[in-house]
């Protein structure tokens, strides 16, 4: 199907064409016209009955000549027989020609995707599906071929359509697709030409009702808007004609020139505002991302420092624990040494105490003997000391009547050490040493 140009309304009509051009017209239309219905040019005539009647007449003539031949004789009999044979042959030939002509004229081929409306004596009998059909009845014919499979596009621009503010829009382009569902109902109820007027009026009424609900500043919202309610309204109006709307939309809306300039200015300002908002959004997003990155970097630094502090703290704890362990080890070692030393001292003291106890016991037993021995040694030492004691020398230094000269004093000084030397010799020192050692050992025991 061809569609009308976008700057003018589509036109739906029907055409009369021979059977050979039906497919071309249904698929291609004619000069921007939509043709869903074709009226076939009837080529069936009753000329095929002429050879049949002539053949029948020729056969009857042959019969009459045969009967005539039976009542005559001689040369007339041969003539009548030859004429009868010619009549029989011509009659059969004419009957065959009439039958073939009748068979060929009864063939009807319906195009794929179309239905043919069969009538008999002018009344609709039934519809014919796609394919070959035989119309044996002489007064049966296909009056219409209707396209019932193709979705036919239809464009209907509505001019000077007022909005809610009573501002007339320059045009609203409305596009729809419809399909004929009942061929008989369509051709007998409305027809293609009348359907074009009805469809155009219904579309304009629906578009004007929709435009009356819209504000002028939002007229462009009609483009591509949901028109399911308009489609339902059109289907309710066209259902009684055997037509179904399969889809529709509003592809374009044109505003008045002055209002369009104002609207273009508003759109430009809105676009600039949108661009500024987008730019500001990008800038804000970039700043937010930068701050986020700084925050993340600071968090990472903080986490790294926290890790370092925790590591230092753990290391300090390990060092403190190690020092504590070392101090505890040293303290335990010192404690063990002290305990060992104390135990050894205690054992030594106990051993010494036992030895002192044994020595005291022995000392008590031998005390008298020791006292006697000590007394005896004392006496021996005293006697030895007395025997080896120096003799006193009296030097008179007073003025009683002696010689007090310097010479006598010098001589006395030289003689005194010689006189005292035997008393301080080795024997006296050894005796004194033995005496002191004896007294010390006894005192210690």
């Amino acid at each position: 199907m061809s569609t009308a140009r976008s700057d003018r309304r589509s036109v739906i009509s029907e055409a009369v064409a021979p059977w050979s051009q039906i497919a071309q017209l249904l698929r291609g239309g004619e000069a921007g016209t939509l043709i869903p219905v074709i009226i076939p040019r009837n080529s069936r005539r009753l000329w095929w009955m002429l050879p049949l009647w002539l053949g029948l007449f020729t056969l009857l003539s042959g019969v009459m000549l045969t009967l005539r031949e039976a009542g005559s004789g001689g040369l007339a009999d041969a003539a009548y027989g030859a004429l009868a044979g010619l009549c029989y042959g011509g009659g059969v030939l004419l009957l065959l020609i009439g039958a073939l002509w009748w068979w060929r004229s009864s063939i009807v081929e319906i195009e794929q995707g179309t239905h043919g409306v069969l009538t008999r004596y002018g009344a609709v009998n039934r519809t014919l599906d796609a394919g070959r059909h035989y119309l044996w009845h002489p007064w049966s014919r296909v009056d219409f071929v209707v396209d019932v499979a193709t979705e036919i596009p239809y464009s209907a621009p509505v001019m000077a359509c007022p909005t809610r503010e009573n501002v007339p829009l320059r045009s609203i382009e409305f596009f729809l697709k419809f399909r004929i569902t009942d061929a008989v109902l369509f051709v007998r109820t409305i027809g293609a030409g009348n359907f074009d007027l009805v469809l155009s009026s219904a579309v304009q009424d629906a578009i004007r009702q929709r435009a009356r609900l819209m504000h002028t500043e939002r007229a462009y919202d009609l483009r591509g808007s949901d028109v399911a309610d308009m489609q339902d309204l059109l289907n309710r109006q066209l259902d009684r004609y055997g037509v179904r709307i399969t889809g529709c939309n509003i592809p374009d809306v044109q505003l008045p020139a002055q209002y369009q300039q104002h609207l273009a200015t508003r759109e430009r300002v809105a676009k600039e505002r949108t661009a500024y908002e987008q730019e500001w959004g990008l800038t804000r997003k970039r700043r937010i991302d930068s701050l986020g990155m700084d925050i993340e970097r600071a968090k990472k630094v903080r986490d790294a420092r926290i890790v370092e502090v925790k590591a230092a703290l753990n290391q300090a704890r390990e060092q403190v624990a190690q020092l504590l362990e070392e101090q505890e080890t040293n303290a335990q070692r010192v404690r063990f040494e002290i305990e060992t030393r104390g135990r050894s001292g205690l054992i030594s003291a106990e051993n010494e105490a036992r030895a002192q106890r044994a020595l005291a016991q022995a000392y008590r037993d031998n005390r008298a003997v020791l006292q006697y021995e000590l007394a005896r040694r004392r006496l021996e030492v005293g006697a030895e000391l007395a025997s080896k004691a120096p003799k006193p020398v009296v030097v008179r230094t007073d003025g009683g009547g002696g010689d007090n000269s310097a010479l006598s004093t010098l001589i006395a000084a030289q003689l005194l050490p010689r006189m005292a030397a035997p008393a301080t010799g080795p024997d006296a020192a050894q005796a004194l040493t033995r005496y002191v050692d004896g007294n010390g050992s006894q005192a210690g025991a």
Side-chain angles (χ1 to χ4, degrees), residues 294-335:
D294 294 339
I295 292 172
E296 292 296 330
R297 191 180 299 110
K299 287 182 179 179
K300 290 181 180 179
V301 173
R302 183 195 63 186
D303 294 340
R305 291 183 178 178
I306 290 174
V307 171
E308 292 178 358
V309 171
K310 288 182 178 179
L313 182 61
N314 293 331
Q315 186 177 1
R317 287 177 179 174
E318 290 178 358
Q319 293 178 357
V320 170
Q322 186 176 0
L323 291 176
L324 290 176
E325 289 179 358
E326 292 178 357
Q327 294 295 330
E328 290 179 358
T329 304
N330 294 331
Q332 190 172 5
R333 185 177 64 254
V334 172
R335 185 172 66 249

Side-chain angles (χ1 to χ4, degrees), residues 1-4 8-15 26 29-38 146-147 151-156 176-180 186 190-201 203 238 243 245:
M1 281 290 173
S2 66
T3 60
R8 56 192 290 263
R9 185 177 66 86
S10 300
V11 177
I12 301 174
S13 66
E14 57 189 15
L26 288 177
E30 186 178 46
T33 303
L34 304 177
I35 302 178
V37 178
I38 300 293
V146 184
D147 189 353
E151 292 184 349
I152 304 171
Y154 183 82
S155 178
L176 61 86
K177 296 183 296 182
F178 69 91
R179 184 169 61 87
I180 300 174
F186 182 78
I190 188 169
N194 295 331
F195 178 73
D196 179 58
L197 298 176
V198 171
L199 181 59
S200 177
S201 300
V203 167
L238 303 178
V243 177
I245 304 297

